[in-house]
Amino acid sequence: MHIPDGFLDFKTVSGTNLFSFLTLIYSIKRILKKLTPERVPLLGIFCALIFLIQAISFPVPYGTSVHLSGIFLISLILGPFSSFFLSFFTLLISAIILGHGGILTIGANSFNLSFIGGIFCFYLYKFLEKILQKIKYFLIFFVSFLSIVLGSIFCTFFLSISGKILFSKAILPMLFSHIVGGIVEGIFTCSIIKFFEKVKPEILKIEKI
Amino acid sequence: MKHHFIDRFSYKKGFLQNLSPSLKFLILILLLILFLLLPKKILFYLPFIFIILILIFLSKIPLKYFLKRILIIFPFLVIIFLLSILSNKNFQNFLYSILKSILSISYIFLFSLTTKMDEFFKTFEDKKYGKLIFLIFSFLYRYFFILYDEFERIKRAMISKGKNPNFKEYTILSGNIFIRSYERSERILKAMISKGWKIEK
């Protein structure tokens, strides 16, 4: 969930923004170091793609719909730091133009979504993949699910240290509301990766930065 | 093609439209920090509500449209409101948070409605790392609508062939969009290089 402006206090806003901006600068440095001409339009068009995925409502059984984040998927295709950079950027644009999230809360939101989904989950997946190679697709599902659920836990955490809600009381409803989204995200990521392997395997061979 | 054009009011001739985008953004950030630190007394908030009404009038934005845009924040407010009720926190405290949130989003919308987004991102161009940001933004701005159209076209084709757009079909659709985007990026690269574009280190 995107936290709007006005709900986080000064210490949370400054702490999370400092962390996110440092990660952003490091990510840009990493991207620029290995930037090839092929990568520039790829980054640009995948940025538009993240925006598109987040704009589409996926139909879910029982008549509801969810929207996906796709950040872990992008990190599997382009690499963790590119994924962080692109999703930070889409968060900024959606905060300014669409009003989803906020400008000062971009630090917290990008930690919940971009850092957890893009960087943390990517390295977690790489670590687990080495040990459990046989259940690769289940791992993709699981880590993708985890990226959404962990994001919701941190969202509750940031809101609770700002004194708006109590962590112990709010965590269960927050988790329940994100479990469906997490499962959908997991199935989506897993089936898209399978689809790529069948139809266009070179998309998975792009250098991961 | 049916798009909600994001910057249609930025071409009108109004007070905020004439200010430079970077100055407006700086003032916006300062205002947002100020809202964060405002004490919990209604008197401090009234001037800002008054100022925004004047600015909306001076920038020739229809008030009804503006209020409609602000409604987008309410689902988030309802979720946090429910969580706050569960936590038995101070209700008055929460109301001030809502007020801060609505004020912040109003000023953000005022900025985004009166600014040409390409001009705003152009200000980053001469900054450190700004070139990459400007480049990515230009891609996003150009190709989002193209990709959206492509998505709509594939969906229409699927429905007309008798496929019910359920979750499985949507994943295949998204996979197709990914592959088409990847192929499109290869074509764009060729077009860029043939027009003399080079990477600047």
Side-chain angles (χ1 to χ4, degrees):
Chain A
M1 196 185 89
H2 306 237
I3 307 171
D5 270 321
F7 282 97
L8 296 181
D9 60 0
F10 192 73
K11 65 171 194 302
T12 322
V13 162
S14 40
T16 49
N17 272 326
L18 184 71
F19 176 82
S20 286
F21 274 96
L22 287 178
T23 319
L24 180 71
I25 290 171
Y26 181 71
S27 304
I28 295 180
K29 270 188 181 165
R30 283 280 291 254
I31 294 169
L32 285 179
K33 214 173 170 183
K34 288 186 181 173
L35 195 67
T36 51
E38 296 85 46
R39 212 174 166 81
V40 173
L42 207 60
L43 280 175
I45 210 136
F46 271 77
C47 188
L49 208 54
I50 297 184
F51 219 72
L52 181 72
I53 292 175
Q54 294 179 351
I56 302 169
S57 298
F58 267 64
V60 176
Y62 308 113
T64 49
S65 68
V66 290
H67 89 89
L68 302 166
S69 87
I71 294 165
F72 176 61
L73 176 64
I74 299 286
S75 80
L76 283 181
I77 298 170
L78 292 180
F81 294 100
S82 309
S83 168
F84 180 85
F85 171 66
L86 294 184
S87 60
F88 185 94
F89 200 70
T90 41
L91 276 175
L92 181 70
I93 298 282
S94 57
I96 292 179
I97 294 174
L98 304 175
H100 286 247
I103 290 185
L104 291 185
T105 52
I106 190 134
N109 285 332
S110 64
F111 182 87
N112 295 342
L113 297 164
S114 322
F115 182 77
I116 298 277
I119 299 179
F120 174 76
C121 281
F122 178 80
Y123 285 112
L124 181 72
Y125 171 70
K126 284 284 152 196
F127 173 72
L128 291 175
E129 199 193 17
K130 275 180 199 159
I131 313 168
L132 308 158
Q133 265 173 348
K134 281 182 186 163
I135 46 165
K136 188 185 156 200
Y137 293 115
F138 177 74
L139 268 186
I140 294 175
F141 168 80
F142 175 70
V143 178
S144 191
F145 170 78
L146 208 64
S147 73
I148 303 293
V149 172
L150 274 180
S152 76
I153 292 175
F154 274 101
C155 178
T156 322
F157 174 69
F158 288 136
L159 281 170
S160 68
I161 54 172
S162 301
K164 296 293 172 295
I165 53 177
L166 269 180
F167 189 78
S168 53
K169 293 266 171 67
I171 187 71
L172 276 180
M174 197 74 166
L175 273 179
F176 274 122
S177 60
H178 280 79
I179 277 176
V180 178
I183 292 173
V184 173
E185 178 92 22
I187 297 171
F188 173 76
T189 313
C190 205
S191 35
I192 291 268
I193 293 289
K194 261 188 181 171
F195 185 74
F196 287 158
E197 280 175 354
K198 207 164 70 181
V199 182
K200 201 154 177 102
E202 58 260 43
I203 231 176
L204 296 170
K205 286 172 192 148
I206 302 168
E207 193 189 1
K208 290 169 183 50
I209 299 172
Chain B
M1 208 202 303
K2 188 181 162 232
H3 294 313
H4 180 80
F5 285 101
I6 42 179
D7 47 5
R8 59 181 159 150
F9 295 109
S10 60
Y11 293 93
K12 284 189 175 180
K13 283 195 174 106
F15 170 68
L16 278 177
Q17 283 89 336
N18 290 335
L19 292 177
S20 88
S22 43
L23 178 74
K24 266 188 284 183
F25 192 64
L26 194 72
I27 295 173
L28 175 70
I29 296 285
L30 291 177
L31 270 175
L32 291 180
I33 295 173
L34 184 71
F35 294 150
L36 207 66
L37 300 171
L38 272 186
K40 292 180 174 77
K41 279 194 180 109
I42 192 78
L43 260 178
F44 288 102
Y45 294 84
L46 288 175
F48 291 105
I49 299 172
F50 188 63
I51 290 170
I52 201 153
L53 288 175
I54 295 174
L55 286 174
I56 289 173
F57 175 72
L58 286 177
S59 311
K60 296 175 185 163
I61 297 169
L63 189 64
K64 210 173 150 190
Y65 175 79
F66 191 81
L67 293 175
K68 232 188 214 170
R69 286 295 297 270
I70 291 177
L71 281 181
I72 199 164
I73 199 179
F74 278 85
F76 298 103
L77 295 184
V78 170
I79 294 170
I80 303 177
F81 176 65
L82 292 175
L83 290 177
S84 159
I85 286 180
L86 272 176
S87 311
N88 299 324
K89 283 267 176 182
N90 188 352
F91 189 66
Q92 201 190 0
N93 227 339
F94 187 76
L95 280 183
Y96 277 107
S97 288
I98 289 187
L99 199 58
K100 279 180 187 184
S101 192
I102 293 175
L103 262 183
S104 308
I105 199 125
S106 312
Y107 278 91
I108 292 173
F109 273 148
L110 202 59
F111 168 77
S112 68
L113 286 174
T114 57
T115 310
K116 292 184 190 100
M117 281 298 146
D118 47 336
E119 267 180 25
F120 169 58
F121 280 96
K122 220 169 195 159
T123 54
F124 286 101
E125 210 184 351
D126 46 346
K127 309 267 187 318
K128 203 180 178 187
Y129 308 134
K131 208 144 200 151
L132 186 69
I133 293 174
F134 175 63
L135 210 63
I136 299 294
F137 175 75
S138 337
F139 270 104
L140 175 66
Y141 198 63
R142 283 183 195 123
Y143 289 102
F144 173 68
F145 296 112
I146 294 177
L147 291 183
Y148 197 84
D149 276 344
E150 202 151 311
F151 169 79
E152 290 280 319
R153 272 203 300 277
I154 304 175
K155 193 175 153 192
R156 210 179 303 137
M158 264 182 163
I159 293 170
S160 67
K161 279 166 194 154
K163 289 201 170 173
N164 189 25
N166 56 17
F167 182 74
K168 195 184 160 202
E169 302 298 335
Y170 262 84
T171 10
I172 296 172
L173 209 166
S174 315
N176 269 312
I177 290 278
F178 266 88
I179 288 170
R180 284 180 188 214
S181 315
Y182 175 71
E183 285 166 355
R184 189 185 285 277
S185 82
E186 285 172 345
R187 289 201 303 277
I188 295 167
L189 179 71
K190 280 178 198 155
M192 281 162 81
I193 289 174
S194 68
K195 279 166 192 157
W197 175 82
K198 260 185 222 151
I199 260 190
E200 291 165 34
K201 286 276 172 188

